[in-house]
Amino acid sequence: MTSPLYGRDLLSVNDLSPHEIQLVLDVARDFKRRYYAGERQLPLLQGKTIALIFEKPSTRTRVSMEVAALQLAATPLSFNRNDLQLGRGEPVKDTARVLSRYVDAIAARVYRHDTLVELAAYSTVPVINLLSDLEHPLQALADIMTIMEFKDVRRAKIAYLGDARNNVAHSLLLAVAKTGGHIVLASPPQLAPRQDILEAARTTASVTGATIELTEDPYEAARGADVVYTDVWVSMGEEEKAEEKKRMLKGYQVNEKLMELTANDSIFMHCLPAHRGEEVTEEVLEGSRSVVWQQAENRLHVQKAVLALILSG
Ligand code: CP
Ligand code: NVA
């Protein structure tokens, strides 16, 4: 049977239906099980080549994508922006058309989401978002997979605290909406999710039965939460706003006092990298509730699933 994702772009969580998200997670779980059974090499993408372009630094995404490709017998080619003529001003649309003649997929981490949209418009091969200013869909898929390993995602209260207007928060919100879960985002009003993302999530929620709440009160979000999630206060590319954002978000730190309000068996999640002493304390990050390493590992399994479903017919 042909994969419903075959040949498609993945720029946003919203590019996937609830059923397709379920499919990605089913395949990811199967790959994870096989990985632990010693079956790491699955030559499903033999002969395929994937270009990975990075306008910003990356540890998890870059390494897990390269390893995912290699474990599926594909060849990843990673470039920083300045390795390419893109860094000297060659237009995105020209880069897209040229790379499409050589590789089977283009994945990119970019500053502006529009760069991905342009890449996708001119590319004749699938384009995958490795993080933009708007979304981080591969992260959200791994996040949902991780939540499902500990909780019933449709029953759990998921509290996201901090900058609810960033890429990670947006994709998590859309992914929870798609899976019919319950998410409470706590942030100062200026850092609430972007209106278009919120509307998209609410539209999805009206179909899936998801519950979406926004609050300014971190304690209200934390009370009884099964999952507590946070991300950095200052995202890559926002360095000039660093002091202002740290001031705005000071009250949203995830620390032991806040975790005491959560469910007895709550888990703590963070996409990483973490800034200890800012959005989360060392104690919580290293504490028994923290599942951040498992969460990071799941990037590999989810991305193998995404690559296999998009690239093998
Ligand atoms: N979480 C995540 O995307 O990490 P990297 O920036 O290291 O890729
Ligand atoms: N919001 C963070 C996520 C890093 C993986 C950033 O964009 O820097």
Side-chain angles (χ1 to χ4, degrees), residues 57-62 109 130-131 136 139 236 271-273 299:
S58 169
T59 296
R60 278 143 291 268
T61 307
R62 178 168 175 168
R109 168 168 288 198
L130 299 180
L131 179 149
H136 196 0
Q139 179 69 55
M236 292 179 279
C271 58
L272 304 175
R299 296 289 306 276

Side-chain angles (χ1 to χ4, degrees), residues 13-33:
V13 169
N14 257 350
D15 291 339
L16 301 173
S17 68
H19 175 75
E20 288 164 351
I21 290 180
Q22 202 50 59
L23 175 66
V24 170
L25 298 178
D26 287 346
V27 174
R29 272 190 291 269
D30 183 49
F31 283 170
K32 186 171 184 177
R33 188 185 51 72

Side-chain angles (χ1 to χ4, degrees), residues 45 129 147 153 163 177 207 292:
L45 301 183
N129 181 357
I147 293 170
V153 73
D163 182 0
V207 178
V292 299

Side-chain angles (χ1 to χ4, degrees), residues 161-183:
L161 279 83
D163 182 0
R165 206 180 180 79
N166 75 14
N167 38 26
V168 168
H170 282 160
S171 289
L172 182 70
L173 167 58
L174 292 171
V176 174
K178 293 268 176 183
T179 45
H182 175 197
I183 187 165

Side-chain angles (χ1 to χ4, degrees), residues 205-227:
S206 68
V207 178
T208 61
T211 312
I212 298 165
E213 295 176 80
L214 303 186
T215 176
E216 285 177 46
D217 182 354
Y219 295 102
E220 182 189 327
R223 206 159 290 124
D226 301 291
V227 179

Side-chain angles (χ1 to χ4, degrees), residues 82-158:
N82 288 337
D83 298 333
L84 302 173
Q85 295 286 11
L86 195 59
R88 293 179 58 242
E90 184 169 21
V92 169
K93 59 185 181 183
D94 295 4
T95 306
R97 285 173 288 185
V98 171
L99 290 183
S100 295
R101 302 278 171 141
Y102 306 139
V103 301
D104 299 285
I106 302 171
R109 168 168 288 198
V110 299
Y111 283 98
R112 295 171 48 252
H113 191 78
D114 282 350
T115 302
L116 285 173
V117 174
E118 191 177 350
L119 265 177
Y122 284 89
S123 166
T124 55
V125 297
V127 174
I128 300 172
N129 181 357
L130 299 180
L131 179 149
S132 68
D133 55 348
L134 189 63
E135 275 205 59
H136 196 0
L138 298 177
Q139 179 69 55
L141 291 168
D143 296 341
I144 298 295
M145 177 176 178
T146 309
I147 293 170
M148 285 176 164
E149 289 175 340
F150 293 93
K151 306 285 169 197
D152 177 345
V153 73
R154 292 181 68 93
R155 288 172 187 270
K157 175 180 177 184
I158 301 167

